Amino acid sequence: MNNLIVLPLLIPLLTAVVLIFLPKQVKAQRWISIISVVINIISVVILIGQVQDKGIQTLYMGGWMPPYGIVFVADMFAALLVLTTLVVAAGCLLYAFRTIGEQREKYYFYPFVQFILAGVIGSFLTGDLFNLFVCFEVMLIASYALIVLGGTKRQLRETLKYVLINIISSSLFVAAMAYLYGVVGTLNMAHLSVRVAEAGQGGILNVIAIMFLIVFALKAGLFLFFWLPGSYSVPPTAVTALFGALLTKVGLYAIIRTFTLIFYHDQGFTHNIIAWMAAATMILGGLGAVAYKDIHRILNYNVIISVGFIAFGLAVATKESLDGTVMYLMHDMIAKALMFILGGMIISAAGTSKLSEMGGLIKRYPLIGWMFFILALALVGIPPLSGFPGKVLMVRGGLSEGEIWLTIVAVASSLLVLYSLIKMFMGAFWKEDHLLPVRDLKKWHSTAYISVIGLFILVIGLGLGSEWIYSFAGQAGEVLANPSIYIDAVLKE
């Protein structure tokens, strides 16, 4: 057993509790929040080194062995996502320091961010479905507060919709767990895999699998994304960046883990449904991204496209495509955070989110403009940027498996991403500035620039260092492609 596994979960929880007692000490909250994240990054780097050297690490709480007790499991897939989560959180916090507003900071912005981190990290590290549900709820309750923080009419309207959708999905989650427990008598993921294999997936187990797919698809925005464009348009930029980078990825992680570890015995049924959902998500998300001329909508629909693309890698379900899915997930979390932050800076500089009312920003903000342009190329998958290695592996996996139509849709969705982001770049930066009055340049604090430049360097670095990153992602993909590795690590004692 390895007690270090629970540390990435405990650090944000304890930090949140401390910050609750410092509501008026804004500077102290900022420093405590960022120091907490940095310490957590160090602990996760150590954990990743242990996973690489010694294999999957486990922690049985209270010494209770599975399937009876609570178990935390750190395989390479979970550990890499935890590290990426913390890096994204650091970038979003740095940007928030001077942009979120002291009024929000005094109303527990930083504790809520820490609770979200605890929920996200717990979701990645838990080894049973019930605690996955608990961590989901911790994350969601904190996200409710962050969406509504500020109290505008639009925020209240979208928060109501967001809360109702998640209450429905959470209720369905509980029902699905109850049915599954009634059929196989366990909720431990590794033990579930064994029991489902013994029972033979089919009939009622396939029905339960689809229930879980619907639950996680609602949370990830996979096909059932009708709530996302509005809900992600109303919070401040730092909050939207955090949501776009992390929340949908937790739903995707749950789908990937569930359908590579538990319900992988009837892929002709389950994975075919995932394939159709992925294709529909990429097509509809792409149409939304190219149709709108509002920056909020364009960026939100680009999140939806990426959700469909990641689901495409799972639907193909080869070792190569799963390796690519891991690499693309890491890229997408960082790139989406940067995309929303740069988008927020563009809106702040122009004083509007409508492309028709923008123009000429390249003369005023060349650094922001060229970073956004290069980021657009990374999101499309242009080499040698961060989106390229994962996309290549996923496309090659799709072609080798004979999923020609799905691969064509995936490649076409990348072209829609390119069109939508270049349209945004041209409208905001290159179009003649006829409509905007002359005004002083918008200036951001140095922490905002540290945030965007740091995330931008990572986007470049993940591409240039892709061979080194693959040494870790390949180990993660191996566990996803061969669930017996995970099962043996958890049930060995």
Side-chain angles (χ1 to χ4, degrees):
M1 293 199 300
N2 187 346
N3 290 318
L4 182 61
I5 297 173
V6 79
L7 194 58
L9 175 61
L10 286 179
I11 289 175
L13 279 177
L14 294 175
T15 303
V17 172
V18 171
L19 293 176
I20 287 173
F21 293 98
L22 302 170
K24 307 303 180 185
Q25 308 298 320
V26 171
K27 289 185 178 179
Q29 288 193 65
R30 293 172 183 170
W31 279 104
I32 292 171
S33 295
I34 197 66
I35 290 171
S36 168
V37 171
V38 171
I39 292 173
N40 214 353
I41 288 173
I42 295 170
S43 73
V44 176
V45 169
I46 295 171
L47 180 61
I48 288 175
Q50 293 178 348
V51 174
Q52 187 181 34
D53 293 338
K54 302 175 183 178
I56 297 174
Q57 301 295 295
T58 56
L59 174 63
Y60 308 116
M61 301 298 289
W64 286 87
M65 304 305 296
Y68 304 108
I70 296 172
V71 60
F72 287 94
V73 184
D75 65 342
M76 188 59 76
F77 182 40
L80 288 175
L81 293 186
V82 171
L83 178 61
T84 310
T85 295
L86 291 168
V87 169
V88 165
C92 293
L93 282 171
L94 285 171
Y95 183 77
F97 283 174
R98 295 302 179 91
T99 63
I100 200 73
E102 283 200 17
Q103 193 66 22
R104 286 189 174 93
E105 289 178 305
K106 290 179 179 179
Y107 280 91
Y108 306 101
F109 168 76
Y110 294 108
F112 287 131
V113 170
Q114 295 294 332
F115 279 125
I116 279 187
L117 292 181
V120 171
I121 292 169
S123 298
F124 291 150
L125 293 177
T126 187
D128 67 88
L129 286 179
F130 181 78
N131 282 297
L132 177 63
F133 168 77
V134 171
C135 292
F136 260 87
E137 293 308 301
V138 171
M139 175 188 74
L140 289 172
I141 291 170
S143 72
Y144 301 157
L146 286 180
I147 284 185
V148 81
L149 195 60
T152 66
K153 185 177 180 180
R154 289 182 66 231
Q155 284 181 293
L156 294 171
R157 183 184 68 245
E158 294 299 333
T159 300
L160 181 61
K161 180 171 67 177
Y162 181 76
V163 170
L164 288 175
I165 290 299
N166 280 291
I167 287 174
I168 293 170
S169 66
S170 296
S171 301
L172 187 58
F173 195 172
V174 173
M177 282 195 297
Y179 282 124
L180 185 59
Y181 187 83
V183 173
V184 295
T186 185
L187 290 176
N188 179 281
M189 292 182 185
H191 199 218
L192 275 170
S193 185
V194 174
R195 287 289 182 87
V196 170
E198 291 172 349
Q201 185 179 331
I204 186 63
L205 284 174
N206 270 338
V207 173
I208 295 171
I210 297 306
M211 289 179 69
F212 278 106
L213 180 59
I214 293 171
V215 169
F216 298 143
L218 269 170
K219 296 182 183 297
L222 178 63
F223 186 60
L224 305 172
F225 59 78
F226 53 90
W227 56 269
L228 191 150
S231 297
Y232 281 20
S233 296
V234 293
T237 297
V239 175
T240 306
L242 195 69
F243 284 10
L246 300 184
L247 298 196
T248 56
K249 305 310 181 295
V250 177
L252 282 169
Y253 168 82
I255 294 174
I256 293 169
R257 182 67 80 190
T258 302
F259 289 92
T260 58
L261 179 62
I262 302 171
F263 300 113
Y264 66 93
H265 305 282
D266 191 4
Q267 293 187 6
F269 176 72
T270 55
H271 286 55
N272 191 45
I273 294 175
I274 294 172
W276 282 103
M277 293 176 73
T281 304
M282 288 186 282
I283 293 169
L284 296 174
L287 293 175
V290 301
Y292 282 100
K293 295 183 179 180
D294 179 88
I295 287 181
H296 290 302
R297 295 284 175 167
I298 294 171
L299 300 185
N300 290 339
Y301 276 101
N302 270 279
V303 171
I304 292 165
I305 297 172
S306 67
V307 168
F309 195 88
I310 293 165
F312 151 66
L314 171 63
V316 173
T318 65
K319 170 65 167 62
E320 191 171 39
S321 73
L322 292 172
D323 290 347
T325 300
V326 175
M327 295 189 73
Y328 192 81
L329 255 175
M330 295 173 64
H331 143 79
D332 197 65
M333 291 168 73
I334 294 171
K336 286 298 186 293
L338 179 58
M339 182 186 76
F340 277 106
I341 291 175
L342 288 175
M345 295 175 86
I346 293 169
I347 293 170
S348 178
T352 178
S353 64
K354 298 178 181 178
L355 287 178
S356 60
E357 300 176 8
M358 294 184 184
L361 293 181
I362 196 68
K363 299 174 184 177
R364 305 175 183 181
Y365 308 97
L367 178 63
I368 295 173
W370 291 117
M371 280 198 295
F372 184 84
F373 178 76
I374 294 172
L375 173 65
L377 299 182
L379 288 167
V380 174
I382 302 297
L385 302 171
S386 59
F388 176 69
K391 279 200 172 184
V392 166
L393 289 171
M394 293 164 76
V395 168
R396 283 174 51 184
L399 293 175
S400 66
E401 194 66 10
E403 296 284 357
I404 305 299
W405 72 272
L406 187 58
T407 305
I408 291 173
V409 171
V411 173
S413 74
S414 296
L415 299 178
L416 294 177
V417 169
L418 178 63
Y419 176 81
S420 67
L421 294 179
I422 293 300
K423 175 184 71 175
M424 181 173 154
F425 174 75
M426 296 296 290
F429 291 95
W430 283 105
K431 188 176 67 177
E432 287 297 324
D433 188 9
H434 295 307
L435 301 178
L436 292 176
V438 177
R439 58 175 178 266
D440 293 335
L441 291 180
K442 173 72 177 181
K443 295 181 180 179
W444 291 276
H445 194 266
S446 58
T447 54
Y449 283 106
I450 292 171
S451 170
V452 295
I453 292 172
L455 293 172
F456 181 76
I457 290 171
L458 285 173
V459 168
I460 304 295
L462 284 177
L464 295 178
S466 58
E467 186 174 354
W468 180 69
I469 299 296
Y470 182 74
S471 65
F472 297 92
Q475 185 176 343
E478 182 67 29
V479 175
L480 296 178
N482 299 290
S484 60
I485 300 173
Y486 185 101
I487 296 167
D488 291 344
V490 175
L491 302 181
K492 62 183 178 182
E493 300 181 30

